[in-house]
Amino acid sequence: MAKSRYLFPKDYMADPSANVFNGRLYVYPSHDWDSGESFDDDGGHFQMRDYHVLSMDNVMEGEVTDHGVILDVDDVPWAEKQMWDNDVVEKNGKYYLIFSAKDYNGVFRLGVAVADKPEGPFIPQPDPIRRSYSIDPCVFKDDDGEIYCYFGGIWGGQLQWYRDNKLKPAASVGEEGFRPTLLPEGDETPLPSRVARMTDDVLQFAEAPRPVVIVDENGEPLKAGDPHRFFEASWMHKMNGKYYFSYSTGDSHYLCYAVGDNPYGPFTYQGVILEPVVGWTTHHSIVQFKGQWYLFHHDCVPSNDTTWLRSVKVLPLEIDEDGHILTTRSE
């Protein structure tokens, strides 16, 4: 089992989205900082306010370049705070950063910022994506050029506030703010990730978001009580003509994956990619670079339980001849 590498120990970063552009590997993380806020289940202590991008020519050793701030919350007209996960996709020589942030009503939305280079700077659109909600966008460009946005996260990510893309009445505003709807339990159907095809200009959803259904070997959806059901951190990559949907299980602390025949699924559950790490959960991306597949993720070493600030790590993935991703451990 290969040893993982701390990618950028000079700073606390998380939620790494790795992409290959122009023969170089770029990682787009969120940016933790010690705000002094107390820990809470909704992530209020993660007062992230900007994005950086890291790039490299060699993944497991050698120099990692920090290109500095590529987007600040003060530059986004509609966003107030908590710039969480983001991802970048290229189309026709332009680079589109899809990101999540809270608006001035305390609601997470997805936004778009555009650049001429993968290292930015990125210029944000004045408004969020229409019909967007929740967190953790992954933008995947298929072989035919179509671009899909996967998103959603429970608890602090607010996905539980919605059913069929509409805000539930139980999540109406009161003196204590938004009241989360009840989560499915036991044999109930779990809350799924969402996916929407993007418009040709990559600025809006071209359709209403659809549920991303994960099924077992018998074609039955995983149950809410299954520790391998979806919680947050969607990622999509394609290998040997198959679509690999991977995700975090949140409070059961795994990274898992499922495989399908098209970008919408359904996706058949396959197994655990990464065992639990130090910290409440992890968040990842999977990319092939120079013939090797890599898993980028984060954990809370070295901050541990003093601040729970996160650090980005990477390790090579082992894949067998049948396309199964072998379970690994971050060391």
Side-chain angles (χ1 to χ4, degrees):
M1 185 176 295
K3 186 177 178 63
S4 57
R5 176 191 185 186
Y6 278 102
L7 202 62
F8 198 71
K10 298 177 184 178
D11 203 351
Y12 291 112
M13 297 182 179
D15 311 323
S17 295
N19 292 277
V20 178
F21 297 128
N22 306 319
R24 188 171 174 86
L25 196 144
Y26 291 83
V27 179
Y28 299 87
S30 57
H31 189 195
D32 283 2
W33 60 281
D34 190 355
S35 65
E37 297 288 334
S38 59
F39 182 90
D40 67 65
D41 286 339
D42 287 336
H45 52 293
F46 294 134
Q47 296 291 322
M48 297 102 89
R49 60 165 297 111
D50 61 30
Y51 298 123
H52 288 230
V53 59
L54 310 174
S55 72
M56 64 212 74
D57 287 319
N58 192 310
V59 176
M60 299 306 297
E61 58 185 19
E63 182 181 3
V64 175
T65 300
D66 177 8
H67 295 273
V69 175
I70 59 172
L71 184 65
D72 188 281
V73 70
D74 289 343
D75 300 327
V76 184
W78 61 267
E80 180 187 19
K81 60 183 179 181
Q82 284 178 260
M83 297 181 77
W84 284 14
D85 179 49
N86 71 96
D87 192 17
V88 172
V89 67
E90 179 274 337
K91 184 171 183 180
N92 297 330
K94 295 282 188 180
Y95 297 85
Y96 298 84
L97 184 147
I98 314 296
F99 63 97
S100 52
K102 276 187 177 176
D103 66 15
Y104 284 87
N105 293 314
V107 177
F108 271 114
R109 304 289 300 277
L110 304 183
V112 183
V114 186
D116 294 323
K117 299 181 295 183
E119 62 269 27
F122 286 83
I123 307 302
Q125 296 294 297
D127 299 299
I129 296 173
R130 293 187 294 274
R131 297 185 289 186
S132 71
Y133 53 93
S134 198
I135 61 168
D136 289 358
C138 160
V139 277
F140 165 74
K141 183 162 73 170
D142 206 348
D143 298 335
D144 61 2
E146 293 286 0
I147 294 172
Y148 301 84
C149 180
Y150 298 81
F151 66 95
I154 299 170
W155 289 7
Q158 303 176 349
L159 185 61
Q160 71 277 3
W161 292 2
Y162 299 84
R163 296 294 189 275
D164 299 323
N165 299 320
K166 294 181 174 61
L167 191 67
K168 291 285 288 184
S172 60
V173 177
E175 291 183 0
E176 299 177 3
F178 280 89
R179 304 177 187 278
T181 56
L182 293 176
L183 292 173
E185 297 179 345
D187 289 337
E188 295 179 310
T189 301
L191 294 179
S193 173
R194 304 288 196 268
V195 58
R197 183 172 52 83
M198 301 294 291
T199 53
D200 289 342
D201 60 8
V202 204
L203 300 181
Q204 298 290 337
F205 291 161
E207 60 187 359
R210 309 185 191 189
V212 179
V213 178
I214 302 168
V215 300
D216 63 19
E217 59 185 6
N218 298 315
E220 295 296 322
L222 297 189
K223 306 300 185 184
D226 191 318
H228 306 112
R229 84 286 181 261
F230 170 81
F231 189 98
E232 62 185 4
S234 305
W235 185 260
M236 174 61 67
H237 74 278
K238 195 172 184 179
M239 184 169 63
N240 298 327
K242 295 289 187 179
Y243 295 83
Y244 284 67
F245 177 74
S246 51
Y247 56 95
S248 170
T249 64
D251 54 349
S252 56
H253 311 298
Y254 298 112
L255 287 180
C256 296
Y257 80 105
V259 176
D261 295 321
N262 66 80
Y264 295 114
F267 298 94
T268 303
Y269 176 78
Q270 299 294 310
V272 173
I273 299 172
L274 184 69
E275 297 283 359
V277 299
V278 174
W280 191 84
T281 184
T282 190
H283 188 124
H284 73 298
S285 59
I286 296 172
V287 69
Q288 187 180 41
F289 185 58
K290 297 182 178 179
Q292 172 66 51
W293 287 96
Y294 293 95
L295 173 68
F296 290 80
H297 61 288
H298 69 239
D299 65 16
C300 290
V301 178
S303 71
N304 293 319
D305 60 356
T306 55
T307 60
W308 294 116
L309 295 170
R310 298 163 294 176
S311 297
V312 171
K313 302 176 75 173
V314 60
L315 52 79
L317 271 184
E318 294 184 56
I319 301 169
D320 70 17
E321 59 184 12
D322 296 319
H324 297 119
I325 301 174
L326 305 186
T327 303
T328 190
R329 192 166 51 246
S330 184
E331 297 179 345

